[in-house]
């Protein structure tokens, strides 16, 4: 039986954000990819909760690497968007 508690809700939101993030990041349009990066950043919040709740908090040690990669992706995507604005 499906039980709604904070852990299951975090799992559901984590998967929904991940699906939307990947869907938008595969777009050809730079503006839509930018939305994918934003959704991915917001979607990391329930993921962090899940890591702490399942005692996998040590994985958070890699968060600075993830943040750097995400920042580089956002910056490059913004530069591409400014170089080729939509018509």
């Amino acid at each position: 039986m499906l039980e709604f508690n904070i852990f299951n809700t975090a799992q559901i939101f984590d998967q929904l954000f991940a699906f939307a993030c990947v869907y938008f990041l595969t777009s050809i349009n730079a503006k839509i990819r930018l939305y994918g990066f934003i959704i991915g950043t917001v979607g990391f919040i329930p993921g962090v909760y899940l890591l702490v709740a399942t005692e996998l908090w040590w994985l958070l040690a890699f968060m600075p690497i993830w943040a750097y990669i995400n920042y580089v992706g956002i910056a490059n995507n913004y530069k591409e968007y400014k170089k080729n604005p939509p018509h």
Side-chain angles (χ1 to χ4, degrees):
M1 176 173 265
L2 181 61
E3 176 185 341
F4 286 106
N5 56 31
I6 192 164
F7 186 78
N8 290 347
T9 305
Q11 285 181 315
I12 292 168
F13 279 115
D14 184 50
Q15 291 302 306
L16 289 174
F17 283 135
F19 177 77
C21 174
V22 170
Y23 181 73
F24 286 134
L25 284 175
T26 57
S27 174
I28 295 174
N29 188 339
K31 187 174 184 179
I32 294 175
R33 281 195 313 269
L34 183 64
Y35 292 139
F37 281 111
I38 293 168
I39 291 171
T41 303
V42 172
F44 199 63
I45 295 168
V48 169
Y49 168 75
L50 290 171
L51 290 175
V52 172
T54 58
E55 299 180 3
L56 294 173
W57 53 266
W58 55 271
L59 288 173
L60 295 176
F62 293 100
M63 188 172 172
I65 297 169
W66 174 86
Y68 174 74
I69 291 170
N70 204 26
Y71 171 75
V72 169
I74 290 172
N76 288 337
N77 197 59
Y78 182 74
K79 289 176 190 174
E80 182 182 339
Y81 173 70
K82 283 298 186 185
K83 196 184 304 181
N84 302 321
H87 302 351

